[in-house]
Amino acid sequence: MSRRKRRVLWVVGAVGVLALLVVGLFALNGLVFADRQSPRARHFSDVPASPTRSQPGEVTFVSYNIAKGFAHKGGLRFESRAFVEGKLRRMAEVIRTEQPDAVFLSEALTELAPCNVDQVAFLARECGLPHAITGENYNAGLPFARVVGGNAVLSRTPLTPVANIDLAGRKPFWVTQNNRRALFVSGTFGGQEVLLAALHNDSFDMRNNAVQMQQLLDYIGDRKAVLAGDFNNRPENASIKLVRESGRFTGEWGGAPTFFEGKRAERLDYIFGPAGWELLESRVVPDDTSDHRPLVCRFKVK
């Protein structure tokens, strides 16, 4: 065998080994190093809890789809860390003004290798909400260079992780688009222990969206629960009707738009409290930092 042929075979072999190594690390990350269905709880002990506008026996929640902090520009293009942190600071200002007891986040990144800002930790610190629990919707890449995103709950007071369940229609771990889980945590608000669900449901298939909602209602059962987040469902659609007709929740079933894209303006975000609670206030904050407006709801706990 000629020296040139040996060289070519060596290069081909080296490339093959490298490709196998990358594929192996990708699979290892998705199957072993990812949190998957295990919520991750963090307590930022150096962050003092912010004040709340809630009176005794009341609770104030904010639901906010932060659109990944607009870190992804499309394809393999990403914004700078300074740009993303600037966006997050503006979001934090909006949240702080509302003085909530807890915040439900959708489309929040905890890792993004090209622009590595832990958006959940950043907002927890900026908003004075020291207790945070995250639930992965996707975790793709290599252990040292990956994108991790999903739902989160931030709180002034302690939270307990419960579950991060796979929702109907979930695809293999290497698919990041429209791969959904629902994050469940528990906490004490207004003197009552309650289950909190942070949601970001199917945005492409409304039939599957309704299947996911029935799955969530079945999982919750008779427990007192708060459903909040980006439901990707309009007030007249099946999922919102399922929640309302269950008789287990209270809240604003319609209201002002929360999602804006060009001339499109729709109500897709909701906060529903347990039946028996009284809705005292529901507002959509007119801030366009994200393509979703923050939704604020205040309840009397009964």
Side-chain angles (χ1 to χ4, degrees), residues 17-281:
V17 169
L18 182 60
L20 286 173
L21 179 62
V22 170
V23 170
L25 287 172
F26 185 86
L28 187 68
N29 177 71
L31 296 172
V32 178
F33 294 149
D35 291 338
R36 303 175 77 189
Q37 291 182 300
S38 299
R40 177 173 294 192
R42 288 183 284 179
H43 176 213
F44 302 98
S45 57
D46 59 326
V47 176
S50 63
T52 177
R53 69 169 53 184
S54 303
Q55 299 300 311
E58 295 179 0
V59 61
T60 301
F61 295 130
V62 170
S63 174
Y64 203 173
N65 182 323
I66 64 171
K68 307 178 186 70
F70 293 86
H72 188 210
K73 296 171 69 175
L76 296 176
R77 297 179 302 124
F78 301 90
E79 291 288 0
S80 67
R81 184 185 184 100
F83 175 89
V84 173
E85 288 185 345
K87 279 278 190 181
L88 294 173
R89 282 193 184 93
R90 287 166 58 189
M91 294 174 184
E93 289 173 10
V94 174
I95 294 170
R96 277 200 311 270
T97 299
E98 300 301 330
Q99 298 182 317
D101 297 288
V103 176
F104 298 77
L105 298 177
S106 307
E107 290 197 60
L109 299 181
T110 52
E111 292 185 45
L112 178 61
C115 177
N116 207 10
V117 181
D118 184 336
Q119 298 174 4
V120 174
F122 190 98
L123 289 174
R125 291 184 175 280
E126 289 286 318
C127 297
L129 298 169
H131 302 275
I133 298 182
T134 54
E136 291 179 355
N137 279 345
Y138 49 84
N139 184 332
L142 307 181
F144 47 85
R146 59 188 187 174
V147 54
V148 182
N151 305 314
V153 181
L154 311 179
S155 175
R156 297 176 57 255
T157 54
L159 298 171
T160 301
V162 176
N164 189 40
I165 66 172
D166 288 351
L167 291 180
R170 184 164 181 85
K171 304 171 184 66
F173 74 88
W174 57 83
V175 178
T176 58
Q177 186 180 56
N178 204 40
N179 235 354
R180 311 299 195 195
R181 290 190 175 106
L183 172 64
F184 286 91
V185 309
S186 65
T188 300
F189 296 93
Q192 287 187 10
E193 185 170 350
V194 65
L195 196 64
L196 309 178
L199 308 179
H200 185 209
N201 292 355
D202 195 322
S203 54
F204 291 91
D205 184 342
M206 291 302 100
R207 288 177 296 181
N208 190 58
N209 187 295
V211 172
Q212 291 177 346
M213 184 52 65
Q214 187 60 59
Q215 178 187 355
L216 291 166
L217 293 174
D218 292 342
Y219 176 83
I220 292 166
D222 294 330
R223 290 177 285 185
K224 281 184 175 290
V226 175
L227 300 177
D230 180 359
F231 286 57
N232 274 311
N233 217 238
R234 303 169 190 85
E236 69 275 12
N237 291 156
S239 289
I240 304 306
K241 289 180 179 178
L242 280 170
V243 179
R244 188 170 192 171
E245 291 170 2
S246 75
R248 289 182 264 164
F249 297 91
T250 187
E252 186 178 39
W253 303 102
T258 59
F259 174 73
F260 294 81
E261 184 180 53
K263 294 182 179 181
R264 180 184 170 196
E266 298 178 303
R267 179 64 170 241
L268 299 180
D269 304 83
Y270 306 84
I271 301 174
F272 299 125
W277 286 16
E278 179 185 355
L279 179 64
L280 301 176
E281 178 185 18

Side-chain angles (χ1 to χ4, degrees), residues 3-19:
R3 183 180 298 177
R4 183 176 178 182
K5 189 173 285 187
R6 283 198 302 269
R7 234 179 244 170
V8 170
L9 289 175
W10 186 90
V11 170
V12 170
V15 170
V17 169
L18 182 60

